[in-house]
Amino acid sequence: MRIGIVSQWFHPEPAPIPSNLAEDLAARGHEVRVLTGYPNYPDGRLYPGFRQRWGHVTRTAGITTRRVPLYPSHDGSGLRRAANYLSFAATSALAAPRFLGGMDVVYVYLTPATVFAAPALLRLLCLVPAVIHVQDVWPESVTSSSMAPQGFAGRLMERSLHAVMRRVYRMSAGIAVIAPSMRDLMIERGARPDRVRTILNWADESLFHPVPDSAAARREIGHRGKCTIMYAGTMGPFQNIEASVRAAAATADDVDLVLVGSGIAEEPARRLAEELGATNIRFLGRRPPTDMAALTGAADYQLVTLRDLPIFRGTIPSKLQAALACGSPVLVSVPGDCAALVEENGVGMASPPDDWRLLADRFRQAAKVPADERREMARRAQHLYQARMSRTAGVDQLEDLLIAAAIREGDQ
């Protein structure tokens, strides 16, 4: 089958889903064409060795990739972020009819939602059906951001985006969502129930996999023989790092908290830890992705946090897949589906989000869990990942969804 992939992010950017899908579909005998931008994520700077130009096409391992120019930016400016999204929407739409017009179906990695510009044009001009893989819910992912306008302009933008997204869902021949509650929301907003399927994301398995605990990794995270909880990832306004710092400071006798990563919330968190005199909190800054499996294996639990916002109740943060792929027990302070998944499968503990005192209680409980019980949690974590979140499981389901959409639309 001839399958197109439209994604603003693609290898060598850290976007495992569209990149892995392209590789595996090509390996399964499909003709695969990828329409993407020039790599600049996550720092907003063009990767070394790339120069933006029109008509850049490469062919590797059965995959034909067309890159189109865009405005590179990933800072806190709403205007520059909009320019990044809209520039790719415009250039990909211009390139799509000639590059993807002969495809049987197009897979759309739908983040941001502006990526749908090219598939919409393909649908209109070439009758190519599109299957969207919804990664975040619009307009909430925009309107919940500090970059969104306020007042009348904000309300107008929200109403306009709601109307656009309803049209996107109705136009799509298939919809993959990353959490059960997100499926309900898509149907509520106009998607046909028989076309929506929950397919959990997978981790980059070349980076995240079980690694035996090592003395070197324990030294790296400063393991002192005490229960060690590690947070790894972006430290931004949505992650509520402050609550994690306060919870750790309140449980200094029981746990150590190690924070790996960076973001705009890192410096305020460092200052808060210093003000609280929390000597059990260590900030490691960013570490190479290739180091993360070993660091994860050296900690006792991985911490996953998000603020209690409606947008997050129907999502599974990618940090959860990364932790489970490494066979690590987890502590989650996330609303909705994520907490239910963890507790129902016995792979860790959940705490209501945005309440550092309850999170501190979970830290204390986690520290009391016997080593053999933690090992059983780790075994269940790896089993859950392989059964429901692995790359193979995800690609199998996406391939089935793409084939079904192509057949259904072709028969009409």
Side-chain angles (χ1 to χ4, degrees), residues 261-284:
S262 188
I264 61 174
E266 179 185 2
E267 281 306 314
R270 286 179 179 270
R271 290 195 298 270
L272 178 61
E274 186 174 349
E275 291 169 8
L276 295 173
T279 58
N280 64 322
I281 301 176
R282 292 183 288 284
F283 292 83
L284 300 190

Side-chain angles (χ1 to χ4, degrees), residues 10 60 84 87 119 140 143 146 208 237 244 253 271 319 323:
F10 197 72
T60 307
N84 173 254
S87 61
E140 287 86 347
T143 56
S146 60
F208 297 101
S244 301
D253 293 338
R271 290 195 298 270
K319 284 190 285 293

Side-chain angles (χ1 to χ4, degrees), residues 130-206:
V131 170
I132 60 174
H133 198 172
V134 183
Q135 298 295 312
D136 42 27
V137 177
W138 279 48
E140 287 86 347
S141 60
V142 176
T143 56
S144 297
S145 168
S146 60
M147 296 184 288
Q150 303 299 311
F152 175 76
R155 292 191 297 272
L156 179 62
M157 182 181 73
E158 183 175 13
R159 286 196 297 269
S160 300
L161 288 175
H162 265 298
V164 169
M165 295 313 300
R166 286 181 182 274
R167 181 64 177 164
V168 168
Y169 302 143
R170 286 195 295 268
M171 288 179 65
S172 300
I175 302 176
V177 296
I178 62 172
S181 294
M182 191 183 286
R183 181 181 187 274
D184 299 335
L185 186 61
M186 296 299 103
I187 295 169
E188 178 186 319
R189 296 185 179 182
R192 289 178 50 174
D194 61 320
R195 297 192 178 186
V196 187
R197 187 182 304 183
T198 302
I199 302 175
L200 301 178
N201 279 345
W202 60 88
D204 186 339
E205 294 172 7
S206 67

Side-chain angles (χ1 to χ4, degrees), residues 99-146:
F99 184 63
L100 297 176
M103 297 292 100
D104 297 310
V105 65
V106 170
Y107 164 88
V108 187
Y109 188 65
L110 201 69
T111 181
T114 45
V115 172
F116 197 75
L121 192 62
L122 282 171
R123 177 73 171 173
L124 178 66
L125 298 180
C126 309
L127 302 180
V128 178
V131 170
I132 60 174
H133 198 172
V134 183
Q135 298 295 312
D136 42 27
V137 177
W138 279 48
E140 287 86 347
S141 60
V142 176
T143 56
S144 297
S145 168
S146 60

Side-chain angles (χ1 to χ4, degrees), residues 41-43 74-76 81 146 229-245 257-273 281-287 292 295 302-307 312 317-319:
Y41 179 81
D43 295 325
H74 292 285
D75 60 20
R81 189 67 64 88
S146 60
I229 300 167
M230 189 171 89
Y231 172 91
T234 300
M235 299 183 196
F238 291 141
Q239 283 72 35
N240 199 4
I241 301 301
E242 176 188 335
S244 301
V245 169
L257 176 65
V258 177
L259 296 113
V260 183
S262 188
I264 61 174
E266 179 185 2
E267 281 306 314
R270 286 179 179 270
R271 290 195 298 270
L272 178 61
I281 301 176
R282 292 183 288 284
F283 292 83
L284 300 190
R286 290 185 178 179
R287 288 290 187 271
M292 292 311 301
L295 298 184
Q302 292 296 302
L303 177 63
V304 182
T305 63
L306 282 174
R307 288 193 177 277
F312 296 134
S318 60
K319 284 190 285 293

